[in-house]
Amino acid sequence: MDLVPVTEGGTEFLVPVQDPARAFPPGSSPVFFNPRMALSRDATTLLLRGIPLESYLDAMGATGARGIRVAGECRIPVTINDRDTLAVDVIQKNAAYAGVPAEITQCDVNLLLSSRRFDAVDLDPFGTPAPFVDAAARSARKYLFVTATDTAPLCGAHGRAGARRYFAHPVNNEYHRETGLRTLLGFIVREVVKYDRGLEPLLSFTREHAIRLHLKIHPGVRHADETLDRMGFILQCNRCFYRLEEPGLVPSGGQCTCGGKFIPIGPLYLGAINHPGVISSMLDRLPSVPLAAGKELFRLLSLLQEELPTSSHYDYHRMARSLHTSPPPIETVLRRVEDSGYRVSRAHYSGTAIKTDAPVGVLERAINGE
Ligand SMILES: C[S@@+](CC[C@H](N)C(=O)[O-])C[C@H]1O[C@@H](n2cnc3c(N)ncnc32)[C@H](O)[C@@H]1O
Ligand SMILES: [Zn+2]
């Protein structure tokens, strides 16, 4: 396998030469590397620069890009694992090439996670992380980081797959990106609380076809119960834009005042998905740190800092269509809602998404210019 050097953030490492005649990763080389995930790796290294750890496991390393960066840029002792022989060979070359200390293992991830504990466990699979979260929940002492790229099942486009993997009812509506992230988070919560441990999301985002979560683990029954109390459903009217959050383990259903029927979406996590203190300290550190996608990460973190913690958003273009009006600039709508005395923000994953605690009527009037 031919390898070429790349620089990502503050680290230089080797990646397989992609075959331009074949589909873009993972099809185009024997060991997976996707340069488009550089922002995701930037985010994790920037976060970990502020968190002292004694061990970090890159559980599904491929080239080892994540683990090598964490070792080099965050000075954290790392273990990098992959079950694939070719991947382990590239990881070994990369640790030597980047000159970073790393323990390298070749193991099925569930076996490794069942036999050892790490301060932080990072799952970065192809597609769904569902088969690995239980073992990761037992192995991780303090932090659990998870990527999912099976956004179609999580967002309700492949509803049966979503039900099988996450035992949830995702719905493919206009805010499916938000509920996809929260359905994944809700699944992880259920895998973690059964071990009497709670979770606190520090940094969560969705970008292109990936969801990325950085979660802090809080041991103890009290934390587990508090985390469970943040689980619930969104009840979405099937006729109008009205929806409500319903905490608890069983959705009630019922009828909207418009006569429509409430469709439950979930179970999902209803709490805040980002920690304001963590985001602002990452923003403080960002200008002085070498990053591959620094500008994009700055934009993303700035949006996350402003974003309201509501579990759904309104697509204001869609609302404008249903009101038979053309949508004004988003800033105008945001200002009008704010002037009406409500909290309002954008959402990081869409230029037409608006989050607010205002009733639907207030938002409709802001779009109509009334
Ligand atoms: C998406 S790639 C990881 C990408 C990498 N973290 C990065 O940032 O470039 C997933 C890797 O997980 C490995 N893998 C898949 N299933 C595994 C399992 N059950 N145990 C260990 N490794 C596994 C694959 O061999 C593949 O290299
Ligand atoms: Zn309704």
Side-chain angles (χ1 to χ4, degrees):
M1 187 187 350
D2 291 336
L3 299 171
V4 283
V6 292
T7 301
E8 195 182 278
T11 311
E12 192 175 341
F13 53 89
L14 302 167
V15 300
V17 177
Q18 308 280 350
D19 178 351
R22 292 177 63 196
F24 193 59
S28 58
S29 91
V31 175
F32 179 93
F33 181 72
N34 187 351
R36 298 182 72 85
M37 295 297 268
L39 177 136
S40 172
R41 291 185 284 269
D42 275 356
T44 302
T45 48
L46 187 61
L47 174 78
L48 282 177
R49 277 174 185 264
I51 301 175
L53 290 179
E54 277 167 30
S55 56
Y56 164 94
L57 172 67
D58 179 356
M60 313 178 95
T63 62
R66 270 182 195 279
I68 300 283
R69 286 194 59 184
V70 169
E73 296 172 38
C74 314
R75 310 260 166 231
I76 290 172
V78 302
T79 302
I80 309 178
N81 177 67
D82 204 289
R83 69 173 171 195
D84 181 72
T85 306
L86 286 174
V88 168
D89 183 51
V90 176
I91 297 165
Q92 270 158 354
K93 289 196 170 95
N94 267 332
Y97 188 84
V100 297
E103 179 196 23
I104 298 160
T105 57
Q106 181 174 7
C107 198
D108 178 85
V109 64
N110 281 333
L111 282 178
L112 178 62
L113 292 169
S114 297
S115 59
R116 288 180 58 184
R117 301 199 74 189
F118 300 88
D119 278 359
V121 171
D122 198 329
L123 294 177
D124 196 19
F126 297 129
T128 179
F132 316 115
V133 177
D134 170 72
R138 286 182 276 115
S139 176
R141 277 194 211 97
K142 298 178 179 169
Y143 297 91
L144 185 54
F145 304 155
V146 181
T147 310
T149 55
D150 61 331
T151 47
L154 279 164
C155 295
H158 299 157
R160 296 292 289 167
R164 286 195 305 277
R165 287 175 196 166
Y166 303 104
F167 211 82
H169 179 236
V171 173
N172 188 11
N173 64 13
E174 75 272 21
Y175 52 84
H176 61 82
R177 301 199 69 176
E178 180 81 30
T179 48
L181 187 155
R182 288 170 178 278
T183 300
L184 172 67
L185 185 47
F187 170 79
I188 298 171
V189 162
R190 284 176 286 150
E191 295 287 74
V192 170
V193 294
K194 69 192 182 192
Y195 298 114
D196 292 345
R197 319 174 77 199
L199 280 181
E200 180 186 23
L202 302 181
L203 170 66
S204 314
F205 57 87
T206 172
R207 221 176 113 84
E208 297 179 359
H209 295 292
I211 296 169
R212 179 74 177 156
L213 306 176
H214 300 80
L215 311 169
K216 181 161 173 49
I217 296 170
H218 293 283
V221 172
R222 183 174 65 83
H223 287 294
D225 282 343
E226 283 170 7
T227 306
L228 201 54
D229 289 343
R230 295 192 289 272
M231 290 292 293
F233 292 81
I234 295 173
L235 300 183
Q236 173 62 57
C237 174
N238 65 354
R239 273 213 215 148
C240 76
F241 287 102
Y242 183 73
R243 80 286 307 257
L244 75 158
E245 288 183 354
E246 189 176 55
L249 302 181
V250 185
S252 63
Q255 268 205 338
C256 181
T257 49
C258 79
K261 194 176 150 213
F262 284 137
I263 308 295
I265 308 170
L268 41 74
Y269 188 77
L270 294 172
I273 57 171
N274 283 296
H275 186 292
V278 168
I279 306 282
S280 63
S281 64
M282 287 176 74
L283 278 166
D284 289 346
R285 270 197 297 283
L286 190 142
S288 57
V289 163
L291 295 166
K295 265 197 203 138
E296 291 97 317
L297 185 58
F298 179 81
R299 211 173 308 129
L300 173 66
L301 293 172
S302 307
L303 281 165
L304 294 178
Q305 196 178 36
E306 298 292 316
E307 189 170 313
L308 288 185
T310 61
S311 59
S312 66
H313 69 260
Y314 300 88
D315 184 287
Y316 89 104
H317 277 202
R318 201 184 146 120
M319 283 179 106
R321 263 198 310 281
S322 86
L323 294 166
H324 306 291
T325 184
S326 57
I330 191 164
E331 290 78 13
T332 309
V333 182
L334 296 173
R335 188 175 27 80
R336 285 176 183 157
V337 175
E338 201 164 21
D339 289 348
S340 308
Y342 294 95
R343 298 179 70 205
V344 66
S345 77
R346 292 164 177 267
H348 68 279
Y349 41 71
S350 161
T352 57
I354 293 185
K355 288 187 156 190
T356 183
D357 57 7
V360 178
V362 170
L363 186 54
E364 285 179 336
R365 283 194 290 282
I367 294 167
N368 259 332
E370 290 165 16

